Amino acid sequence: MYPACFAIRMFSLCLRCPGSHCLRYKTSKLRAPAPLSLTLTRTTASPHRPVSSQTNCCGCQKNSKKMSIQAKIGPSILNADLANLAAESQKLLDNGADYLHLDVMDGNFVPNLTFGHPMVKCLRNKIKDAFFETHMMVDNPEQWIAPMADAGVNLYTFHIEPVEDVAKVSRKIQEAGMKVGLALKPGTKVEEVQKYIDIADLVLIMTVEPGFGGQSFMADMMPKVEWLRKNYPNLDIEVDGGVGPKTIDCCAKSGANWIVSGTAVVGASDQRKVISDMRGVVQSYIK
């Protein structure tokens, strides 16, 4: 194509893009967004991902009516017996869990300290084909991108609060072959994540203060979920904290489709039933 024709073509394509400020327009390596697949992706995958020929110039599809979201239940393994973690995790998967939610705490961003990439890598060596999400409750999430990618993590969810350049960290996560999740503490306004939606695969709304167990579900976080679902109908929205059979309806009705549940699932006498029932509630609200 001649240079002049190419320039005219690109200009006409970009006129169709409603968000000229879109981060995807500024970063050509970023792939077009889509609801997360739970198919295991290799952490050595190339950062160059093809964009569908039917997308606009920046790949902004989160408001497209052609896409659909799915209900996913991810038990938090922090509530499992850590001395027998591989077996406990496999049991959850065998009982219907869609993915495993791994809570990583550094003792700084939150007061508690859990585990890091060596344990995640050991778990991956035992469980080859499960989808791993790490919830990085850490001061410097950029520091752990490469080690977690090497450990076999699929979705790297980090808090935006301590990060100066969210777009930069997100790009590095994608370049490492992982999907990007952006997490918000209860005190963070949902509008703070708006400018990064185009670079994210998932947004996590905390329904308790991160780093502490045994807290009550914060129903007043649901307006955040409702705002995200209204403005981004195809975005994968996750909730974490105090979610179980008694609170799942509130989360699902507000628009959450990825559900993190700890004790309510891990400690259940019938894990399969609890997971199935919760997924059914979420699915009933997905249009």
Side-chain angles (χ1 to χ4, degrees), residues 224-244:
K224 293 183 181 181
V225 177
E226 293 168 357
W227 185 90
L228 286 170
R229 181 58 65 216
K230 178 182 177 181
N231 289 281
Y232 305 96
N234 298 300
L235 176 67
D236 283 311
I237 305 171
E238 185 177 50
V239 288
D240 178 12
V243 182

Side-chain angles (χ1 to χ4, degrees), residues 221-281:
M221 293 297 106
M222 291 304 97
K224 293 183 181 181
V225 177
E226 293 168 357
W227 185 90
L228 286 170
R229 181 58 65 216
K230 178 182 177 181
N231 289 281
Y232 305 96
N234 298 300
L235 176 67
D236 283 311
I237 305 171
E238 185 177 50
V239 288
D240 178 12
V243 182
K246 294 181 180 179
T247 54
I248 187 63
D249 190 78
C250 179
C251 297
K253 185 177 181 180
S254 298
N257 65 304
W258 279 52
I259 308 298
V260 178
S261 186
T263 306
V265 170
V266 177
S269 58
D270 190 342
Q271 293 180 350
R272 181 176 296 275
K273 184 178 187 306
V274 173
I275 291 172
S276 178
D277 288 350
M278 291 176 68
R279 186 188 296 110
V281 172

